[in-house]
Amino acid sequence: MPGYGIPSPSSDDRLAAPHEIAVTAGAGDGHRAAARGALWCAWARGHPLAAYVIVAYALSWACWIPLVVNGSVVTLGGSVSQFPGLLGPMVAAFVVTAVTEGRGGVRDLASRMVRWRVPVRWWLFAIGTPLLLLASAGVVTAVGSGRFVPSDFGRMAGLPQWGVVFVWAMFIVVNGLGEETGWRGFAVPALRRRHGLLAASLLLVPLWAGWHLPLFLLLQNYRDLGPVGLPGFLIGLSCGSVLLAWLYESASASVLIVAVWHGTYNLTTATAGGHGTTAAIVSTGVMVLAALIAWRHHHTPGDTP
């Protein structure tokens, strides 16, 4: 009824019906979400390493923290597993690569994950050095205590007890590729744009170590370390970071090679058979190798790009 201040239905400023309000609000939420996504993508392109770390932590911790909150502890034969969270770095690497480099970058990363055509010496190194250190530990253990049980290396917290080959495969495929696609396949090249091999390796250590934090509440062998074992963990992680970055670059940027080394190393140290003297000997051997690599690069000019 015009003339009494009541809007006409045909007026341009007529009151919206309830369903129109809902549609408008929904469209507004969609635009805001798209704007936030665009802002995040723009930020990630300018800060790819930071974006990768945030996504890797978010994905892995989303798997682990609920277990911690529920009071779960991953043990041999238990019903919970940490292994799904180990895929977080790999997924994060692909997400951030897709944002920053597009399809070409994703194809390149995927090709490095399965790059097996490298000189044979790197395959021998990736498989042989951890097993050689394990054999040395086995001899020392057998002579010292008389107890060295190979089947114990097929018993890993968070995995079914289906034998050594199964555990080794899970270490390489889930643990190795899950971590190394991110830390060596994405983070190391990002750091290497500005730093030499040793600097990049050591700068990665706090990021890699921080990612492990929930595991100190979730895994029994991490819990057993306690505050006293934390410095040893950080030293071991630093040596591993140097060795793996060197191996990655030496073996034609093959993520697969470093995943094999990582998985084989964890087979010798993280399983039921890899505790005590065995873990100590294998870890010491890795520290010696890392020290030799660091010495060589310190005395080799032209390491920085």
Side-chain angles (χ1 to χ4, degrees):
M1 297 174 60
Y4 290 90
I6 300 175
S8 168
S10 62
S11 173
D12 290 338
D13 60 345
R14 67 186 183 279
L15 293 175
H19 72 278
E20 292 175 304
I21 295 173
V23 169
T24 302
D29 290 343
H31 287 312
R32 283 191 290 270
R36 286 194 294 268
L39 285 173
W40 187 87
C41 289
W43 179 83
R45 292 187 189 101
H47 307 83
L49 181 59
Y52 159 75
V53 171
I54 290 170
V55 177
Y57 275 49
L59 292 173
S60 295
W61 288 19
C63 294
W64 296 334
I65 289 179
L67 298 176
V68 173
V69 171
N70 289 335
S72 302
V73 178
V74 179
T75 57
L76 287 170
S79 59
V80 296
S81 176
Q82 77 283 14
F83 269 74
L86 298 175
L87 296 171
M90 179 185 71
V91 177
F94 275 103
V95 168
V96 179
T97 298
V99 170
T100 58
E101 301 180 32
R103 293 181 181 178
V106 169
R107 284 194 296 268
D108 175 65
L109 180 58
S111 71
R112 285 183 279 128
M113 279 184 66
V114 294
R115 184 170 294 164
W116 61 273
R117 290 186 176 180
V118 298
V120 174
R121 65 180 180 275
W122 300 120
W123 280 106
L124 294 175
F125 183 92
I127 299 173
T129 53
L131 293 183
L132 182 61
L133 292 171
L134 175 62
S136 302
V139 171
V140 172
T141 303
V143 171
S145 64
R147 186 183 184 280
F148 185 79
V149 184
S151 61
D152 282 348
F153 295 94
R155 300 170 59 226
M156 173 63 193
L159 290 177
Q161 296 185 34
W162 293 347
V164 175
V165 173
F166 169 75
V167 172
W168 191 11
M170 290 296 288
F171 270 134
I172 292 172
V173 175
V174 179
N175 189 187
L177 287 175
E179 283 199 57
E180 295 306 330
T181 303
W183 300 118
R184 252 54 62 177
F186 184 92
V188 164
L191 286 165
R192 286 286 273 143
R193 294 186 184 107
R194 295 187 178 182
H195 304 283
L197 177 71
L198 295 181
S201 302
L202 297 177
L203 286 169
L204 183 60
V205 171
L207 305 177
W208 192 21
W211 174 80
H212 287 81
L213 284 177
L215 297 179
F216 281 88
L217 301 174
L218 188 59
L219 291 179
Q220 189 59 53
N221 58 338
Y222 276 68
R223 290 162 66 106
D224 291 343
L225 288 174
V228 176
L230 186 58
F233 170 80
L234 292 174
I235 292 170
L237 207 67
S238 300
C239 293
S241 187
V242 170
L243 187 151
L244 286 166
W246 166 80
L247 179 59
Y248 171 76
E249 294 193 359
S250 299
S252 306
S254 170
V255 173
L256 179 61
I257 286 290
V258 292
V260 168
W261 190 94
H262 192 153
T264 307
Y265 171 79
N266 280 358
L267 179 75
T268 66
T269 58
T271 56
H275 292 164
T277 302
T278 299
I281 291 174
V282 174
S283 298
T284 300
V286 172
M287 293 177 189
V288 171
L289 287 172
L292 291 173
I293 292 167
W295 180 87
R296 176 181 177 273
H297 275 267
H298 180 70
H299 291 83
T300 301
D303 178 43
T304 55

